[in-house]
């Protein structure tokens, strides 16, 4: 059981500035947990506190039921993969992988078999006697991962391990790490600023901003039910469309009035939004719910008239960058639907999928 | 040894050591490469020679001025009465000169314009200039003139001392003063000669020259100097010791020494400065025992060392007992001898503070030492066992430089020398000194002569008698062939006897002891004869020549190999197609033009002098010309010179110490400073501060730390730590290094682990060795001594066991900060990731140093290592200043330096330098390789 519990963890580098602000989370055994957020959000700091590379200012971290606040990194039974690999340049691949084992006084044969096993898994057996500088970026990253897995720790920590790789290699390594997780069945904590990585890899995702945890959820939950404006805008490619407007009672019922763009509200949302009558709100709707076949085929979905600014055919779908008065938004439409720049289109808004946020608190209303 | 002016006032002595050979002071010159410096200076002087000029004749519209360069002139701004008296004499000389010139020279000059030049001889004036030339700090009056002569910049009137006089004569530096055509010496009347030249000095100035004829070579200056002993009356009174009188003996002297010495209070009988010239103190005993240093064998026309006589044994025995006899003081501390043996000029301070009972000094014939008779008494040196007494006689002398070609200048030089000590000059001096209130210190003979009878009675009692005894029984300082070596050679048996006494291996039985001392003296007398006279058997010569030939061939091959290597490494790399690209002169024209001044400078100031100077290695080089080719003999002599190899061995020891002490500690310090959580800047500043202190200051600072009494800073610390403390230190250091070894072992670095373990043992033993003498005290079980402190102060610079270490330590201390800064900068370049990765891997602090820091710093470490290694072979300035090469610290560089500039053996010195260069060449090649690798490979690929 390698459950990692962060119990109201705070981190300050002096003064009243909190780099990590009341981080409270239980990472389940064998879970793949991703910390995501823009740079400076405290995700790496949190990871380093778990690793023991940073002091914990307040709160407690426990790994496998043991509070580790004062346990040095080497005794926490963790392994860490660094963004810059941190391979010792003067050691061969083999020595790099074996170093931690030697320090732990493993028998030579045991070291040998573990390094072999790890290198087989990662496909680096041929490079064991090379020095790191003779390896490509992807190979180096594999060695760095190999160095972590030979130790068979309870918890793996990844600190933006794929940032230094090119796009193609990143996708490949992403898949390998997922497979590795399935194979090793260890608890993994993975830090990234890339929401695609977060979505594709994590069992659960922690979205952080300015040291504060905004939402902890499974990728789909995060996607479908963002808890606030930031998560809504951060998760998803292209991001969610956000419109500012006012909730108003019109002749036909409650509407979202964005001046140049007006959308009728679904009846089940009206109760909650009634409280915001004549007040500003932010409406969020994902591109696939605007003008997509699903939206178009939904009976009663309101139609919005907008002008096409840019057409981005992606093959399986086409993205339209639209302008409706002072609002701009993205629509994901059927690639077979013909349209060109400058066209005026009537697009269906799947208002049942819309989210409403309070601009003052940024949190979700409904 | 030297001539010292001692001026005393109210018991305070101001001593001017103007003639101490290689006292311990630093020379910045000796830091650079020995070979380059040696030959470089010579080459430099050669280049500069035509630019400098000695005396010259200047035509002015209304008169002719003769300019004369003197090695030393009194300073008119010096308010000291003695200096003022000298200034007055010089003034009088220039005032009288036109008249003297008119009387003696004008007519001759006018008659022979082809010889004396076409000048207006009707109005002639003399202007004296003080010689300003290169002098090497601490080399006293011995080296300055030599360097000036070597460069052709000598003053017209040069200074000569006894021990160097033969070398000066044989090398042809001195112009004979008795040439019939000159009428110099012969113009002096018998009375004048008697007035100026003491009969005992006559043999020194009147001797055979290179032509085999006897000549007068120099004139004494300022009268004869005798050696006397001063004593502190207050110190003797305090111990209820009656004042010694002139009839006292060695035994009386020894008894007083025993009584008065109290090292616990810092009081000693006297101070004998160690160093090569220590035997200056011993010679007095040798003579007083009836012995002699060297003798001139008329039949064979050569000088011979005879100090291995029974008298020599007696003197050595007495001296060794006086300086090294083991005794225990009131507190039961073990003490050696009754004489403080110091490497620095502590004597003046000690004497002023009344912590020294006796003070051996010169007494000047004209002006006796100015002592305060209430505090200070004067007595002749004690009589030896045979009732003999033999103090040293000395005198400063001056001669005309043989390189003066213009007879006008030469004549002026003679007139200067002639007047300087004539009766009129002495009268002027005496009157000024009497007016200045120093009349009572003047030799009564002159007071009477010049009509100051009434002052005679004021003179401190007994001084005249004491002086007369000193002169009567005095012997001139050895002045024979190669006598500049004599103090060195005489010091060797003293050192050996001292070491054996301290080590406890000296026999106590008087007969055995005498035999033993005899054997020591025999050994060094033989060596002295060989060194000073240089007689080698034909068989030996053949052996030397063959070996020298072999070594020379090896040197040529080695240097050829190096130059080939350099050419290969720095040749332009071949282009991609494999075709050599050439130097690209046209393409990079401007680059080469800009490079040109640098290349020319290096060629001119480094390589040209190196090549030109290298021919010295094959010559019996004489500065004044007439060098003869001896081909490989210099190399042969050096190769079979045990002293040279001993100095090479010293260099090896020095190198090991420097590398191990000044190379690794900065790395460790840098890591510690990097890791320290608070006060980084403070600690960095603290460690860097010593570096801003000038080297010389560092040396004097540490010399005071090394004071061999318990009042020295270091001894105070060492004596405060109980045995248990040292054991703890030993254990701590052993454990630290042991853990390093253990970590290395875990990582299968077995050899390094073993080295580390050995280092642990050595360092542990080093600290434990401080505890040993405490634990080994007689009459107590070792466990009873655990809390006790050392029974005796350490004799840091005097003890051959610690001397070398003590020379290196200040260097480490001063070099730690700057050295560590370089590493700190490099450490900053190591990404934190590595440390963190190591942390997570489970590395300890030691592991991080061993497997992260050191491998990452490796390129820098290698460069630093080679740098430290090579410089450790070249730098000897610290040693020169610390010990002057005593106590087994003469490194090769120092040996070469002495050989060249103290003994004028430029040939062997150059040969030594080449041999040293040959031994270091491997490292040079290695260094070049690293340099080339760094330039072409390492850059641009950091990951």
């Amino acid at each position: 059981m390698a459950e990692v519990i962060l119990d109201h963890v705070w981190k300050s580098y002096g003064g009243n500035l909190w780099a990590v602000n009341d981080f409270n989370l239980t990472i389940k055994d064998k879970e793949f947990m991703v910390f995501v957020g823009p740079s400076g959000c405290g995700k790496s700091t949190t990871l380093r506190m778990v690793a023991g590379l940073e002091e914990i200012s307040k709160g407690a971290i426990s790994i496998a039921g043991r509070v580790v606040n004062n346990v040095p990194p080497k005794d926490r039974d963790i392994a860490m993969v660094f963004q810059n690999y941190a391979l010792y340049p003067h050691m061969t691949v083999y020595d790099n992988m074996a170093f931690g084992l030697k320090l732990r006084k493993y028998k030579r044969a045991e070291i040998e078999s573990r390094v072999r096993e790890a290198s087989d898994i990662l496909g680096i057996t041929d490079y064991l006697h090379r020095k790191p500088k003779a390896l490509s970026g992807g190979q180096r990253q594999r060695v760095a991962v190999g160095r972590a897995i030979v130790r068979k720790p309870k918890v793996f920590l990844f600190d933006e391990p794929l940032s230094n790789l090119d796009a193609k290699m990143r996708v490949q390594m992403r898949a390998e790490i997922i497979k590795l997780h399935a194979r090793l069945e260890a608890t993994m904590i993975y830090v990234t600023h890339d929401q695609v990585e977060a979505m594709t890899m994590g069992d659960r995702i922690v979205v952080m901003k300015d040291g504060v945890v905004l939402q902890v959820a499974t990728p789909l939950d995060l996607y479908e039910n963002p808890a606030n404006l930031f998560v809504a805008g951060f998760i998803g490619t292209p991001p969610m469309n956000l419109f500012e407007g006012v909730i108003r009672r019109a002749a036909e019922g409650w509407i979202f009035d964005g001046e140049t763009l007006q959308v009728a509200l679904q009846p089940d949302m009206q109760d909650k939004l009634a409280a915001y009558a004549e007040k500003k709100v932010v409406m969020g709707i994902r591109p696939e719910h605007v003008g997509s076949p699903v939206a178009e085929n939904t009976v009663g979905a309101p139609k919005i008239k907008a002008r096409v600014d840019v057409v981005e055919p992606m093959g399986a779908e086409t993205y339209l960058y639209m302008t409706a008065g002072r609002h701009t938004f993205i629509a994901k439409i059927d690639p077979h639907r013909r349209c060109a720049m400058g066209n005026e289109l009537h697009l269906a808004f799947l208002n049942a999928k819309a989210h409403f946020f309070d601009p003052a608190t940024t949190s979700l209303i409904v | 040894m030297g001539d010292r002016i001692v001026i005393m006032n109210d018991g305070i002595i101001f001593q001017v050591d103007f003639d101490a050979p290689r006292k311990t002071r630093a020379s910045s010159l000796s830091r650079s490469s020995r070979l380059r410096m040696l030959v470089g200076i010579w080459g430099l002087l050669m280049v500069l020679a035509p630019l400098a000029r000695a005396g010259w004749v200047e035509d002015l519209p209304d008169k002719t001025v003769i300019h004369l360069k003197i090695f030393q002139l009194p300073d008119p701004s010096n308010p000291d009465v003695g200096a003022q008296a000298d200034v007055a004499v010089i003034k009088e000389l220039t005032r009288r000169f036109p008249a003297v010139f008119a009387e003696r020279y004008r007519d001759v000059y006018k008659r022979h314009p082809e010889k004396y030049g076409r000048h207006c001889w009707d109005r002639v004036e003399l202007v004296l200039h003080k010689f300003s030339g290169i002098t090497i700090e601490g080399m006293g009056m011995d080296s300055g003139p030599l360097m000036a002569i070597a460069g052709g910049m000598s003053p017209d009137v040069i200074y000569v001392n006894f021990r160097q006089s033969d070398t000066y004569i044989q090398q042809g530096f001195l112009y004979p003063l008795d040439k019939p055509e000159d009428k110099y010496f012969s113009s002096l009347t018998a009375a004048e000669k008697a007035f100026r030249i003491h009969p005992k000095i006559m043999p020194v100035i009147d001797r055979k020259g290179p032509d085999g004829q006897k000549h007068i070579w120099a004139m004494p200056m300022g009268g004869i100097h005798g050696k006397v002993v001063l004593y502190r009356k207050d110190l003797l009174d305090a111990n209820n010791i009656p004042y010694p009188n002139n009839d006292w003996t060695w035994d009386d002297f020894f008894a007083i020494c025993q009584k008065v010495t109290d090292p616990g209070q810092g009081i000693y009988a006297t101070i004998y400065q160690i160093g090569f010239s220590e035997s200056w103190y011993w010679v007095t005993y040798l003579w007083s025992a009836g012995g002699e240093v060297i003798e001139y064998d008329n039949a064979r026309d050569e000088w011979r060392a005879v100090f291995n006589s029974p008298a020599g044994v007696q003197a050595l025995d007495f001296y060794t007992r006086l300086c090294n006899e083991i005794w225990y003081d009131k507190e039961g501390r073990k003490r050696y001898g009754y004489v403080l043996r110091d490497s620095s000029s502590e004597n003046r301070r000690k004497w002023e503070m009344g912590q020294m009972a006796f003070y051996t000094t010169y007494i000047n014939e004209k002006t006796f030492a100015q002592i305060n008779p209430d505090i200070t008494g004067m007595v002749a040196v004690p009589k030896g066992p045979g009732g003999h007494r033999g103090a040293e006689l000395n005198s400063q002398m001056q001669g005309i430089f043989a390189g003066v070609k213009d007879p006008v200048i030469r004549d002026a030089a003679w007139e200067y020398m002639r007047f300087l000590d004539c009766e009129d000059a002495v009268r002027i001096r005496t009157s000024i000194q009497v007016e200045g209130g120093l009349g009572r210190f003047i030799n009564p003979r002159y007071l009477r002569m010049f009509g100051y009878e009434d002052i005679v009675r004021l003179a401190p009692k007994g001084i005249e008698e004491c002086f007369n005894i000193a002169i009567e029984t005095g012997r001139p300082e050895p002045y024979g062939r190669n006598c500049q070596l004599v103090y060195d050679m005489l010091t060797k048996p003293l050192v050996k006897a001292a070491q054996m006494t301290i080590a406890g291996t000296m026999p106590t039985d008087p007969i055995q002891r005498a035999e033993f001392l005899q054997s020591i003296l025999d050994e060094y007398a033989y060596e002295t004869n060989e060194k000073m006279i240089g007689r080698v058997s034909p068989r030996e010569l053949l052996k030397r020549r063959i070996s020298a030939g072999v070594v020379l061939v090896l040197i040529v091959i080695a240097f050829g190999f190096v130059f080939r290597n350099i050419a290969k490494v720095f040749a332009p790399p071949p282009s991609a197609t494999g075709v050599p690209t050439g130097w690209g002169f046209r393409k990079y024209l401007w680059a080469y033009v800009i490079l040109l001044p640098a290349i020319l400078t290096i060629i001119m100031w480094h390589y040209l002098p190196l090549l030109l100077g290298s021919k010295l290695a094959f010559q019996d080089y004489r500065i004044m010309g007439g060098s003869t080719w001896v081909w490989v003999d210099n190399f042969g002599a050096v190769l079979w010179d045990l002293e040279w190899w001993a100095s090479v061995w010293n260099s090896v020891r020095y190198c090991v110490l420097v590398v191990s002490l000044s190379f690794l500690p900065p790395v460790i310090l840098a890591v510690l400073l990097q890791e320290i959580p608070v006060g980084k800047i403070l600690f960095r500043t603290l460690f860097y501060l010593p570096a801003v202190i000038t080297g010389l200051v560092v040396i004097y600072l540490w010399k005071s730390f090394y004071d061999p009494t318990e009042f020295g800073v270091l001894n105070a610390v060492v004596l405060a730590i109980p045995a248990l403390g040292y054991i703890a230190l030993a254990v701590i250091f052993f454990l630290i290094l042991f853990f390093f070894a253990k970590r290395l072992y875990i990582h299968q670095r077995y050899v390094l682990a073993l080295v580390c373990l050995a280092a642990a043992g050595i360092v542990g033993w080093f600290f434990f060795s401080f505890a040993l003498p405490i634990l080994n005290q007689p009459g107590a079980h070792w466990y009873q001594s655990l809390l006790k402190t050392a029974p005796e102060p350490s004799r840091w610079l005097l003890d051959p066991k610690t001397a070398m270490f003590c020379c290196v330590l200040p260097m480490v201390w001063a070099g730690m900060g700057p050295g560590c800064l370089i590493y700190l900068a490099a450490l900053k370049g190591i990404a934190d990731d590595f440390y963190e990765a190591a942390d997570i891997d489970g590395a300890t602090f030691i592991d991080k140093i061993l497997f992260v820091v050191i491998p990452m710093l490796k390129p820098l470490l290698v460069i630093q290592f080679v740098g430290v290694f090579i410089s450790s072979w070249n730098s000897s300035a610290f040693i020169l200043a610390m010990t002057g090469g005593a106590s087994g610290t003469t490194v090769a560089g120092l040996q070469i330096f002495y050989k060249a500039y103290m003994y004028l053996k430029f040939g062997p010195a150059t040969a030594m330098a080449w041999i040293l260069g040959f031994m270091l060449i491997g490292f040079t090649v290695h260094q070049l390789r690293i340099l080339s690798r760094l330039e072409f490979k390492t850059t641009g690929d950091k990951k």
Side-chain angles (χ1 to χ4, degrees), chain A residues 137-258:
Chain A
Q139 289 164 339
R140 284 182 207 181
Q141 193 53 270
R142 274 169 227 255
V143 177
V145 173
R147 179 165 67 175
I149 65 179
V150 288
R151 297 237 322 275
K152 301 189 177 163
K154 291 199 187 97
V155 181
F156 284 90
L157 307 174
F158 294 89
D159 189 5
E160 308 211 18
L162 307 183
S163 311
N164 284 6
L165 301 179
D166 59 50
K168 199 177 160 194
M169 185 59 75
R170 210 178 299 168
V171 173
Q172 193 185 334
M173 283 301 294
R174 203 159 76 194
E176 286 192 28
I177 292 174
I178 294 168
K179 277 193 269 174
L180 201 66
H181 178 237
R183 182 171 180 158
L184 298 175
E185 298 193 318
T187 310
M188 289 188 178
I189 306 176
Y190 189 103
V191 164
T192 180
H193 62 267
D194 181 349
Q195 54 92 15
V196 178
E197 264 176 39
M199 295 292 283
T200 50
M201 298 174 85
D203 291 338
R204 279 198 293 161
I205 296 170
V206 178
V207 183
M208 293 181 74
K209 186 179 178 241
D210 297 336
V212 180
V213 176
L214 297 180
Q215 193 172 3
V216 182
T218 60
L220 274 184
D221 200 17
L222 211 58
Y223 188 79
E224 291 185 343
N225 302 305
N228 53 43
L229 267 174
F230 178 78
V231 177
F234 190 73
I235 302 291
T237 324
M240 185 181 272
N241 296 309
L242 299 172
F243 305 92
E244 282 181 7
V246 180
I247 300 294
R248 182 165 289 155
R249 187 166 184 118
E252 63 273 30
W254 290 94
I255 60 160
F256 168 83
D257 182 2

Side-chain angles (χ1 to χ4, degrees), chain B residues 32-42 605-607 609-610 913:
Chain B
S32 63
S33 158
R34 194 69 24 205
L35 176 63
R36 274 217 308 268
M37 186 201 76
L38 171 66
V39 197
I41 291 177
W42 183 82
W605 298 106
H606 287 235
Y607 289 97
L610 191 76

Side-chain angles (χ1 to χ4, degrees), chain B residues 59-77:
Chain B
D59 293 312
L60 290 180
D62 55 338
K63 62 189 172 192
T64 301
V65 180
I66 300 174
H67 296 270
L68 193 61
K69 255 196 191 171
I70 313 293
F71 71 95
Q72 203 177 35
L73 277 181
D75 176 6
S77 65

Side-chain angles (χ1 to χ4, degrees), chain B residues 491-548:
Chain B
T491 298
K492 290 179 181 185
L494 307 185
V495 170
K496 187 158 184 184
Q499 284 173 3
M500 305 203 65
T501 309
I502 290 165
T505 48
M506 179 68 78
T508 43
D509 173 64
I511 296 171
Q512 276 182 12
R513 190 178 155 88
E515 277 172 7
F516 194 75
L517 293 173
Q518 179 74 55
S519 69
I520 294 177
L521 286 174
D522 286 345
E523 179 189 339
Y524 290 109
Y526 179 82
E527 194 184 326
T528 306
N529 279 331
E530 195 193 6
K531 279 250 154 86
M532 292 195 351
I533 293 140
R535 175 159 298 175
V536 187
S537 70
R539 215 183 128 81
E540 177 76 17
L541 197 63
L542 185 70
K543 181 178 83 180
R544 289 183 181 189
R545 282 184 175 161
I546 292 170
S547 54

Side-chain angles (χ1 to χ4, degrees), chain A residues 12-77:
Chain A
S12 161
Y13 290 105
N16 237 347
L17 282 168
W18 295 98
V20 175
N21 201 325
D22 197 19
F23 195 108
N24 203 13
L25 176 73
T26 300
I27 300 164
K28 293 187 290 257
D29 185 32
K30 297 171 193 168
E31 191 174 20
F32 198 113
M33 178 63 81
V34 176
F35 295 174
V36 72
S39 44
C41 72
K43 56 189 190 300
S44 278
T45 308
T46 310
L47 185 82
R48 290 162 60 81
M49 282 194 283
V50 176
L53 300 174
E54 300 276 359
E55 297 270 321
I56 299 159
S57 305
K58 266 197 269 183
I61 294 177
S62 56
I63 298 172
R66 178 172 64 137
V67 175
V68 293
N69 284 31
N70 294 315
V71 176
K74 66 188 173 82
D75 299 329
R76 294 190 178 193
D77 205 2

Side-chain angles (χ1 to χ4, degrees), chain B residues 306-559:
Chain B
V306 292
F307 57 80
N308 53 336
S309 56
V313 173
Q314 278 181 330
L316 183 57
D317 184 33
F318 182 77
Y319 186 87
T320 307
R321 278 196 292 132
L322 186 67
C323 294
N324 305 298
E325 187 173 77
I326 295 169
W327 57 285
Y328 293 89
D329 68 4
K330 293 191 287 278
E331 285 91 38
R333 290 211 149 145
K334 194 178 185 183
R335 304 289 182 182
Y336 298 96
Y338 312 97
V339 176
L340 177 59
R341 324 237 300 129
D342 198 349
S343 59
S344 64
S345 303
E346 265 283 281
N347 40 8
R348 201 178 93 194
R349 194 177 66 82
K350 283 255 176 212
W351 175 256
E352 284 168 12
M353 290 172 64
Q355 294 188 324
M356 205 168 115
F358 297 109
Y359 190 94
T360 312
T361 187
Y362 288 113
I363 181 168
N364 188 322
E365 180 203 2
K366 301 270 164 48
T367 311
F368 295 156
Q370 298 162 25
I371 57 170
N372 179 345
D374 296 336
I375 300 174
T376 317
M378 186 189 286
V379 69
V381 297
K383 281 181 184 169
H388 294 284
R389 180 167 15 220
E392 178 196 334
L393 272 190
N394 213 327
S395 176
Q396 287 188 296
M397 302 187 295
Q398 53 190 357
I400 300 175
F401 179 50
V404 178
K405 297 292 177 233
D406 187 344
V408 177
I409 304 298
R410 206 153 54 212
D411 290 343
W414 166 252
E415 286 308 323
Y416 164 81
M417 283 165 55
R418 175 195 173 97
F419 183 76
L420 205 62
D421 259 344
C422 73
E423 203 178 315
D424 284 352
V426 176
R427 177 180 291 121
I428 292 169
R429 276 201 200 95
T430 306
S431 77
I432 287 181
Q433 283 176 319
V434 168
E435 281 161 23
L438 300 181
R440 60 193 171 128
F441 298 121
I442 294 171
N443 188 341
R445 180 183 156 209
Y446 295 102
L447 289 176
R448 288 186 204 105
M449 190 183 287
F450 301 123
Y452 300 104
E453 298 270 1
D454 47 333
I455 296 177
V456 173
R457 63 187 169 77
L458 297 176
K461 285 192 180 55
I463 291 195
E464 190 180 8
E465 186 197 352
C466 186
F467 169 78
N468 288 338
I469 295 174
I471 299 303
E472 223 170 86
T473 60
R475 318 249 186 125
E477 177 185 54
Y479 55 88
R481 181 91 200 268
N482 282 329
C483 264
Q484 71 271 30
L485 278 171
V486 79
Y487 288 115
D488 294 33
M489 301 309 295
L490 287 183
T491 298
K492 290 179 181 185
L494 307 185
V495 170
K496 187 158 184 184
Q499 284 173 3
M500 305 203 65
T501 309
I502 290 165
T505 48
M506 179 68 78
T508 43
D509 173 64
I511 296 171
Q512 276 182 12
R513 190 178 155 88
E515 277 172 7
F516 194 75
L517 293 173
Q518 179 74 55
S519 69
I520 294 177
L521 286 174
D522 286 345
E523 179 189 339
Y524 290 109
Y526 179 82
E527 194 184 326
T528 306
N529 279 331
E530 195 193 6
K531 279 250 154 86
M532 292 195 351
I533 293 140
R535 175 159 298 175
V536 187
S537 70
R539 215 183 128 81
E540 177 76 17
L541 197 63
L542 185 70
K543 181 178 83 180
R544 289 183 181 189
R545 282 184 175 161
I546 292 170
S547 54
V550 172
V551 168
L552 265 175
V553 169
L554 285 179
I555 290 177
V556 169
I557 291 173
F559 278 89

